Amino acid sequence: MALQSLDIKARSATTTPSPVARGEAIKVAKLIDISKCIGCKACQAACMEWNDLRDAVGTNVGIYDNPRDLSDQSWTVMRFSEVEVEQGRLEWLIRKDGCMHCDDPGCLKACPSPGAIVQYANGIVDFHEEHCIGCGYCITGCPFDIPRISKKDNKAYKCTLCSDRVGVGLEPACVKTCPTGAIVFGSKADMIHHAEGRITDLKERGYQNAGLYDPQGVGGTHVMYVLQHADKPELYANLPKDPHISPLVSLWKGVTKPLMSLGIGLAVFAGFFHFVTAGPKEVEEEEEKTD
Amino acid sequence: MSKMIQRYTAKERNNHWVVSIAFVLAGLSGLALFHPAFFFLTNLFGGGPWTRILHPFIGAVMFLSFIAMAARFWRFNHFTAADRQWMKRIGDVIRNRDQGLPELGKYNAGQKYLFWIMVVSIPVLLLSGMVIWQPWFAPYFPIWLLRVAVVIHALAAWIMILGIVVHVYAAIWVRGTVRAMTRGTVSEAWAKHHHRAWYREMTGK
Ligand code: HEM
Ligand code: SF4
Ligand code: SF4
């Protein structure tokens, strides 16, 4: 059975509670082990195939990143970084970029259109394009620079974590296709457990700072990375070290707006009650006559 | 009825009403996206996407017409000593105790404050609005700037809306004012009472 309205935990621009009759669901997560990724881009191809997306053929700009960036047609792209963490020891870090499925999603918080962004009980954050108005607020809300607005239809798009597949008990297309097993999928608890094993292994192989990327600033994520250098996530094509929803977005979407709305309402009422109290300012009759 | 004095020409009145109508439409379509409580206002504009599409164009119309209006009224809005005197007695003005207020020119200090708030806010709304304008301009700006712009835009809009609530109320409260913008004229008594220096200038009395 596909994910349905009973499974929606949070909904954009909605101030009343979501359905809770079903209670807690198992949280899912996708774990991307960067140390196992060979940059073959099979996941990119699988994503295109499952979701029926075809990006325009781009131009080669002299690096392996292709397409150059995420787009309405490319919901995941491999980002290649050549770094020397230790002098004279080149490392090629390949990060599969895409939506992190934040537990506290900034996109959802920023979106002004009711139901254009939803978060399912299992943690997946999904855009419902039929409700999207194309305002781009999700872009301002996202700490990872993920949503892209289509030039064709002005709707926002991003990775769905294959919510349609997960809803019927399948793993995401990228997970199914990865030839090295660098991408795995399951319950978040299992994925953390799996990651621990990988991290122990990496530490034994000399990666002292290997660790899990599950940033708590956004409540943890439902897409996690195993990083060889978890102390320096920026090495991986500027993966933010401590991502959180921008304070500006919190200010803009927090208590300020209800207060501002209240202020406007009060101004209107103040006028009304002033009128009832003091009455209109009339020019007196004598004044009219004198001159 | 006493004699009438011309306060606004037909051109000035039409200019003012273009600004006002555009302001109300921009305000309603903006508020629709401001908070979910107002999202129903998108129905006035043909739904969410249309609201998003129309709002910046309405805002741009308002900006252009406001420029014309500001140019017309600029010279009447410099603060004077009489304005400072009047501001000191604002409490009396609000309580309708107008005896012995200083003689004012075409506008009082409240009107002048509103004018300058608009002169600052409207260009701020235009610039911040351009930055977040999808799909035309927003893709050319960095995300941090979008975040700054959207906050500034909401704040400037809020200040303007509050200012206009006061402005509209003042026009209703002070009897005989609305016709200045509908018919272009005010009574001599009105002019003498509220803007005596302007009255003298107009009538030579
Ligand atoms: C001067 C030209 C203006 C431009 C170019 C402009 C542009 C924009 C844009 C692009 C947005 C984002 C939503 C959308 O794409 O429609 C927006 C939102 C908004 N605008 Fe404007 N606007 C202008 C004037 C105004 C005016 C005059 C008001 C009202 C008083 C106003 C009030 C708002 C409000 C309240 C929002 C929602 C902000 C939020 O979500 O917090 N705007 N504007
Ligand atoms: S572009 Fe669409 S999904 Fe993004 S914030 Fe606007 S309405 Fe929501
Ligand atoms: S990464 Fe961005 S788009 Fe994805 S859930 Fe988090 S805030 Fe939303």
Side-chain angles (χ1 to χ4, degrees):
Chain A
M1 187 194 51
L3 293 168
Q4 46 149 285
S5 58
L6 276 181
D7 302 306
I8 290 173
K9 182 172 86 170
R11 189 171 179 272
S12 56
T14 303
T15 45
T16 49
S18 291
V20 290
R22 258 187 195 163
E24 285 289 299
I26 293 175
K27 304 276 185 252
V28 298
K30 180 166 85 177
L31 181 69
I32 303 169
D33 184 347
I34 293 188
S35 67
K36 277 190 176 178
C37 174
I38 56 169
C40 69
K41 299 179 184 170
C43 53
Q44 277 182 211
C47 180
M48 286 167 61
E49 190 179 338
W50 175 257
N51 293 300
D52 264 333
L53 304 168
R54 295 293 179 276
D55 216 335
V57 176
T59 44
N60 189 318
V61 291
I63 52 172
Y64 280 87
D65 299 36
N66 186 1
R68 222 19 217 107
D69 195 10
L70 296 168
S71 74
D72 58 320
Q73 297 288 312
S74 298
W75 298 347
T76 185
V77 295
M78 311 310 293
R79 299 201 186 268
F80 295 73
S81 310
E82 291 170 31
V83 297
E84 276 184 46
V85 183
E86 274 172 49
Q87 201 64 36
R89 189 157 165 268
L90 180 76
E91 281 186 68
W92 210 15
L93 306 176
I94 307 160
R95 177 165 71 87
K96 172 176 155 53
D97 195 10
C99 175
M100 299 297 287
H101 295 272
C102 309
D103 206 54
D104 182 14
C107 56
L108 188 148
K109 191 168 185 181
C111 176
S113 182
I117 304 181
V118 299
Q119 183 179 40
Y120 296 115
N122 64 13
I124 294 179
V125 177
D126 225 349
F127 285 12
H128 283 178
E129 278 79 11
E130 80 270 28
H131 297 306
C132 173
I133 66 169
C135 63
Y137 285 9
C138 47
I139 297 171
T140 65
C142 174
F144 295 96
D145 182 16
I146 299 300
R148 294 291 183 274
I149 294 194
S150 159
K151 296 242 181 317
K152 292 202 193 85
D153 58 20
N154 287 306
K155 304 286 177 201
Y157 294 92
K158 68 159 190 71
C159 157
T160 65
L161 204 61
C162 285
S163 56
D164 48 351
R165 292 173 58 92
V166 172
V168 293
L170 297 172
E171 71 279 64
C174 55
V175 177
K176 186 168 175 73
T177 207
C178 178
T180 66
I183 321 175
V184 285
F185 181 82
S187 76
K188 181 153 178 176
D190 284 354
M191 290 304 105
I192 291 174
H193 182 71
H194 181 83
E196 278 161 4
R198 288 294 307 145
I199 290 160
T200 315
D201 183 45
L202 282 167
K203 285 191 170 155
E204 277 167 10
R205 285 164 47 204
Y207 290 101
Q208 294 309 324
N209 298 309
L212 180 66
Y213 186 81
D214 177 26
Q216 295 307 305
V218 290
T221 52
H222 295 272
V223 171
M224 305 183 292
Y225 292 113
V226 171
L227 304 179
Q228 303 94 319
H229 309 287
D231 55 328
K232 293 188 195 113
E234 317 85 58
L235 292 175
Y236 301 81
N238 290 319
L239 185 63
K241 180 156 192 150
D242 178 24
H244 49 263
I245 298 176
S246 159
L248 279 168
V249 174
S250 307
L251 169 75
W252 168 51
K253 288 283 166 176
V255 288
T256 349
K257 284 194 168 170
L259 287 180
M260 287 162 105
S261 310
L262 192 68
I264 295 173
L266 284 180
V268 174
F269 277 109
F272 178 76
F273 286 108
H274 174 262
F275 194 86
V276 173
T277 312
K281 200 185 259 311
E282 275 164 334
V283 179
E284 282 162 30
E285 276 305 305
E286 312 89 80
E287 250 181 305
E288 294 233 12
K289 284 178 202 125
T290 53
D291 82 298
Chain B
M1 267 251 287
S2 66
K3 277 187 278 167
M4 289 296 165
I5 305 182
Q6 182 84 16
R7 191 162 162 87
Y8 295 111
T9 65
K11 271 189 187 154
E12 287 167 339
R13 298 196 305 270
N14 282 305
N15 192 168
H16 171 271
W17 287 114
V18 172
V19 176
S20 344
I21 292 167
F23 176 85
V24 170
L25 294 178
L28 292 175
S29 55
L31 279 179
L33 309 185
F34 180 81
H35 189 272
F38 306 121
F39 192 79
F40 74 96
L41 292 169
T42 54
N43 292 325
L44 299 176
F45 300 87
W50 271 116
T51 306
R52 186 268 303 164
I53 293 166
L54 291 174
H55 171 85
F57 289 102
I58 301 169
V61 168
M62 140 142 200
F63 173 79
L64 293 176
S65 51
F66 178 75
I67 293 296
M69 191 167 84
R72 288 179 206 275
F73 298 156
W74 193 278
R75 65 199 166 93
F76 302 111
N77 281 285
H78 300 299
F79 283 95
T80 64
D83 290 325
R84 282 183 277 277
Q85 287 292 314
W86 187 87
M87 269 318 277
K88 282 194 192 125
R89 291 201 44 206
I90 188 76
D92 286 335
V93 174
I94 290 170
R95 288 185 195 83
N96 289 340
R97 292 191 210 125
D98 293 356
Q99 299 83 353
L101 284 173
E103 297 196 359
L104 299 179
K106 189 163 184 182
Y107 296 114
N108 65 39
Q111 293 167 305
K112 289 178 184 177
Y113 275 121
L114 183 78
F115 179 82
W116 294 112
I117 287 174
M118 307 262 283
V119 166
V120 175
S121 303
I122 292 177
V124 167
L125 279 169
L126 180 81
L127 293 178
S128 58
M130 300 266 287
V131 171
I132 56 174
W133 193 339
Q134 293 280 1
W136 309 109
F137 307 111
Y140 299 103
F141 295 102
I143 291 172
W144 67 264
L145 189 60
L146 302 184
R147 291 179 183 142
V148 173
V150 83
V151 172
I152 291 179
H153 195 80
L155 196 69
W158 181 66
I159 292 171
M160 287 261 300
I161 292 171
L162 282 182
I164 293 301
V165 167
V166 175
H167 174 70
V168 171
Y169 175 65
I172 299 170
W173 168 45
V174 181
R175 280 294 140 89
T177 307
V178 174
R179 64 169 297 137
M181 267 308 163
T182 51
R183 309 298 312 282
T185 54
V186 289
S187 72
E188 284 203 349
W190 184 96
K192 205 167 154 188
H193 183 101
H194 300 296
H195 301 278
R196 189 162 301 200
W198 175 71
Y199 166 79
R200 292 187 199 288
E201 199 184 303
M202 296 299 287
T203 59
K205 284 178 196 163

